[in-house]
């Protein structure tokens, strides 16, 4: 649909119907909200295969391709996992408990920290060795954090309202999870505009959210920029959440005409309503020098390539800049392993609109860039200047640049790496830090200081930060501090099942090496090679079984799930 066929009556009708039912959602009891989610979960399961297959078809590969693992992880599994997280917290509240256990909240170096993962016994079994904590903003106290959590259900419920969710076009679950957040964390009914890139998901979402649609609490609409612009300025819309780019945010807030920049300078936006956003940026993967084995180089090469090649790099959290120690003997060996992994991957195309042009700009800036495996896998092994296209703008495609920084010790390198990530790269959504357990033990203070200093909403330590998007308990959003005049990676957190108020960042940790090798590297766990790795031979099957288990856990399912995971 384009601007000449803008169907304003249909959009007006969707908003009007929601406004009429907004108060009824506010009045819906906690127990009924829980029951709605309990009935939603089987519909996720019933739609899972079709939802994953639709993503694979749209991206140009078969539903049983190894690439289709990402369509299970970022589609039905993410939706089931986040729904389960919400159910866990809401059931605690219904039972008269605090949303988050008091034992999970502590003070550490003068800051309040909340342990948010693992939560259940299944978490500890299925993601053995994974741990996530939320660091709260300066000034928060444990008592305040406990008192403010889940205010929607503990005396601070929001007023009835209509939220506009402008859906993302890349990862299937994003729009659905944003809907759940607006409904359950903020208490608003939702008009969700599908992104034209993945509007094919609408019938699947309408089936999954059927009861919410029937109740008049969710409406789906299609359209492009014109429809989005119409809805953002609609008098019946009370708040907005967008997943996209800073350009999308700025077009909504300041306009696109000749007066847009003046409005920004004067801070006179076109709309004045609550506006949250998740906008991406240039995400770094920082590798700390250490003593690695050959297996370490191979495993971490697969890890790094996954953080780039998942969804062909069409992720706001995809690693775009690999930060390596200039003087580390392992730098070239790691890069050679990365080249090997890239060459061996199955062919695929960068499907997202504009990817070809953005990749062409990278190749124009780097005529000697390495093209590995197929025409869309680009490696720039040594970026020199800070004005490079890979350092100044989000490519949103399968190009990886390498920056080499000085530092003969982990301490020295980390100081340079933190300054570079914080002060040179645009965006604060997520970063990944890879450090051998032996190195971290020998340089504990330096690693802890780096974890504290890196200004990112999610920091993955030996774990691609994108995993934080999936877990539900881990708040997802940019590091606080952006203003609407300089929006960066956005403002606000979603996927925040504990509904914590005053989040600064999530720190997510995973084993440096898989089982059983982790026993010998200082990172013991039961976790095998992650099924979301792009190199996993059984990733699609494992994630399909994990989705079914998450939606309806049962001990009888575990042998097949573990067998598939161990064959990866």
């Amino acid at each position: 649909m384009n601007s000449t066929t803008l169907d304003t009556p249909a959009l007006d009708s969707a908003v009007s119907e929601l406004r009429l039912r907004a108060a009824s959602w506010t009045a819906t009891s906690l127990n009924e909200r829980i029951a709605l989610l309990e009935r939603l979960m089987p519909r996720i399961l019933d739609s899972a295969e079709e939802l994953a297959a639709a993503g694979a078809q749209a991206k140009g590969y078969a539903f049983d391709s190894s690439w289709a693992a990402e369509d299970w992880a970022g589609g039905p599994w993410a939706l089931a996992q986040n729904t389960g997280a919400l159910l866990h917290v809401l059931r605690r509240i219904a039972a008269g408990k605090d949303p988050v256990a008091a034992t999970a909240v502590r003070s550490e170096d003068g800051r309040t920290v909340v342990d948010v993962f693992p939560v259940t016994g299944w978490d500890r079994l299925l993601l053995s060795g994974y741990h996530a904590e939320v660091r709260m903003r300066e000034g928060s106290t444990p008592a305040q954090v406990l008192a403010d959590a889940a205010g929607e259900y503990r005396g601070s419920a929001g007023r009835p309202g209509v939220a506009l969710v402008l859906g993302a076009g890349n990862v299937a679950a994003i729009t659905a999870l944003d809907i759940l957040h607006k409904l359950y964390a903020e208490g608003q009914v939702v008009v969700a505009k599908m992104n034209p890139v993945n509007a094919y998901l609408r019938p699947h979402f309408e089936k999954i959210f059927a009861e919410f649609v029937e109740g008049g609490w969710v409406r789906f609409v299609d359209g492009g920029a014109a429809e989005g612009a119409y809805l953002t300025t609609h008098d019946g819309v009370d708040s907005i959440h967008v997943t996209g780019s800073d350009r999308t945010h700025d077009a909504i807030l300041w306009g696109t005409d000749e007066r847009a920049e003046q409005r920004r300078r004067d801070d006179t936006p076109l709309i004045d309503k609550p506006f949250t956003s998740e906008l991406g940026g240039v995400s770094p993967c920082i590798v700390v020098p250490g003593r690695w084995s050959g297996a370490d180089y191979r495993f971490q090469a697969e890890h790094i390539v996954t953080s780039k090649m998942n969804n062909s790099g069409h992720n706001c959290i995809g690693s775009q800049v690999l930060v390596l120690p200039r003087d580390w003997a392992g730098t070239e060996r790691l890069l050679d392993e990365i080249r090997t992994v890239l060459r061996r991957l199955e062919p695929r195309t960068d499907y997202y609109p504009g990817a070809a042009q953005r990749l062409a700009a990278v190749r124009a800036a780097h005529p000697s860039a390495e093209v590995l495996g197929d025409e869309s896998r680009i490696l720039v092994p040594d970026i020199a200047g800070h004005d490079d296209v890979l350092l100044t703008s989000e490519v949103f495609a399968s190009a990886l640049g390498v920056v080499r920084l000085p530092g003969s010790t982990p301490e020295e390198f980390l100081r340079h790496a933190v300054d570079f990530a914080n002060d040179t790269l645009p965006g604060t959504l997520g970063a990944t830090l890879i450090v051998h357990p032996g190195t971290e033990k020998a340089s504990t203070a330096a690693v802890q200081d780096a974890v504290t200093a890196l200004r990112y909403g999610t920091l993955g330590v030996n774990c691609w930060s994108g995993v934080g998007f999936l877990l539900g308990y881990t708040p997802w959003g940019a590091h606080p501090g952006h203003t609407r005049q300089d929006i960066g990676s956005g403002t606000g957190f979603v996927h925040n099942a504990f509904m914590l108020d005053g989040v600064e960042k999530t720190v997510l940790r995973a084993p440096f090496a898989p089982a059983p090798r982790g026993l010998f590297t200082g990172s013991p766990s039961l976790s095998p090679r992650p099924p979301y790795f792009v190199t996993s031979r059984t990733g699609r099957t494992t994630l399909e079984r994990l989705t079914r288990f998450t939606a309806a856990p049962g001990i009888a399912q575990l042998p097949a799930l573990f067998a598939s995971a161990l064959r990866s």
Side-chain angles (χ1 to χ4, degrees), residues 462-486:
N462 296 327
C463 181
W464 176 34
S465 53
V467 175
F469 165 84
L470 302 169
L471 298 180
Y473 298 103
T474 43
W476 184 251
H479 193 277
H482 298 299
T483 68
R484 63 187 182 184
Q485 291 164 290
D486 184 16

Side-chain angles (χ1 to χ4, degrees), residues 157-339:
R159 297 176 61 184
V162 176
L164 169 63
V165 167
L166 295 175
N170 55 337
V171 176
I174 292 177
T175 301
L177 299 185
D178 291 343
I179 292 170
L180 286 177
H181 178 83
K182 282 293 187 181
L183 284 167
Y184 278 86
E186 298 185 19
Q188 294 186 316
V189 295
V190 181
V191 54
K193 190 192 79 65
M194 300 299 297
N195 191 293
V197 178
N198 60 11
Y200 59 85
L201 295 171
R202 176 175 171 173
H204 304 287
F205 288 160
E206 288 182 327
K207 178 180 176 183
I208 291 169
F209 284 96
E211 275 194 275
F212 296 86
V213 173
E214 292 164 5
W217 303 317
V218 174
R219 287 289 182 270
F220 292 93
V221 298
D222 292 322
E227 287 73 16
Y230 182 78
L231 288 168
T232 59
T233 58
H234 200 291
D235 289 340
V237 168
D238 299 293
S239 73
I240 302 169
H241 180 77
V242 59
T243 301
S245 70
D246 56 353
R247 297 181 303 278
T248 301
H249 168 275
D250 289 349
I252 294 169
L253 205 58
W254 314 113
T256 57
D257 59 15
E258 67 279 358
R259 298 181 57 196
E261 191 54 39
Q262 187 63 48
R263 292 190 193 98
R264 186 207 298 265
R265 288 194 295 268
D266 296 341
D267 196 18
T268 54
L270 294 172
I271 59 172
D272 188 18
K273 58 184 73 175
F275 188 176
T276 54
S277 53
E278 189 256 85
L279 306 174
V282 176
S283 296
C285 177
I286 301 168
V287 179
V288 183
R291 296 182 62 182
W292 291 17
S293 68
D296 293 335
Y297 285 105
R298 289 189 292 274
F299 179 80
Q300 294 302 340
E302 294 177 33
H303 182 191
I304 292 163
V305 170
T306 294
S307 73
K308 172 74 272 181
M309 284 299 299
N310 176 277
N311 203 29
S312 265
H314 307 318
N315 288 322
C316 51
I317 197 63
S319 293
Q320 184 165 308
V321 177
L322 180 60
V323 183
L324 295 175
R326 183 182 299 158
D327 303 317
W328 181 39
T331 289
E332 293 306 326
R333 183 167 183 181
L334 179 60
L335 286 173
D336 283 342
E337 292 287 354
I338 288 171
R339 291 180 179 102

Side-chain angles (χ1 to χ4, degrees), residues 6 48 71 157 187 222 233 251 269 304 352 363 371 380 429 455 527:
L6 185 62
D71 300 296
D222 292 322
T233 58
I304 292 163
Y352 209 84
R363 296 186 68 175
V371 181
V380 180
L429 185 62
R455 294 193 297 268
S527 290

Side-chain angles (χ1 to χ4, degrees), residues 304-518:
I304 292 163
V305 170
T306 294
S307 73
K308 172 74 272 181
M309 284 299 299
N310 176 277
N311 203 29
S312 265
H314 307 318
N315 288 322
C316 51
I317 197 63
S319 293
Q320 184 165 308
V321 177
L322 180 60
V323 183
L324 295 175
R326 183 182 299 158
D327 303 317
W328 181 39
T331 289
E332 293 306 326
R333 183 167 183 181
L334 179 60
L335 286 173
D336 283 342
E337 292 287 354
I338 288 171
R339 291 180 179 102
T340 298
V341 174
L342 285 169
R343 289 190 186 101
R344 290 178 177 174
L345 293 177
E346 290 183 19
R348 71 178 298 176
T349 58
D350 282 25
Y351 68 90
Y352 209 84
Q357 291 81 1
R358 294 189 295 274
L359 289 172
V362 173
R363 296 186 68 175
H366 297 280
S368 59
E370 300 175 25
V371 181
L372 302 162
D374 57 38
E375 287 300 307
S376 64
R377 297 175 199 163
I378 298 174
L379 177 67
V380 180
D382 196 357
I383 296 174
H386 284 186
D387 59 349
D388 192 279
V389 62
L390 282 164
L391 307 185
T392 58
S393 60
E394 186 179 10
V395 174
F396 211 67
S398 51
L400 177 65
V402 179
V403 169
R404 301 160 191 253
L405 296 179
S408 57
T409 65
E411 289 80 1
E412 185 181 0
F413 170 74
L414 278 169
R415 285 195 296 271
H416 287 290
V418 169
D419 289 345
F420 171 77
N422 283 345
D423 301 335
T424 299
L425 300 181
T428 64
L429 185 62
T432 300
L433 180 68
I434 297 176
V435 55
H436 191 286
T439 303
E440 182 168 6
K441 184 177 181 180
S443 305
T444 301
V447 175
Q448 289 179 345
D449 288 348
V451 169
T452 299
L454 283 162
R455 294 193 297 268
Y456 289 87
T458 296
L459 176 64
V461 181
N462 296 327
C463 181
W464 176 34
S465 53
V467 175
F469 165 84
L470 302 169
L471 298 180
Y473 298 103
T474 43
W476 184 251
H479 193 277
H482 298 299
T483 68
R484 63 187 182 184
Q485 291 164 290
D486 184 16
I487 195 60
S489 290
T491 181
F493 286 90
V494 292
H495 310 188
N496 180 7
F498 290 114
M499 293 168 267
L500 300 171
D501 187 34
V503 172
E504 180 184 83
K505 68 198 296 184
T506 298
V507 179
L508 173 64
R509 286 181 172 268
F512 177 81
R517 192 166 55 82

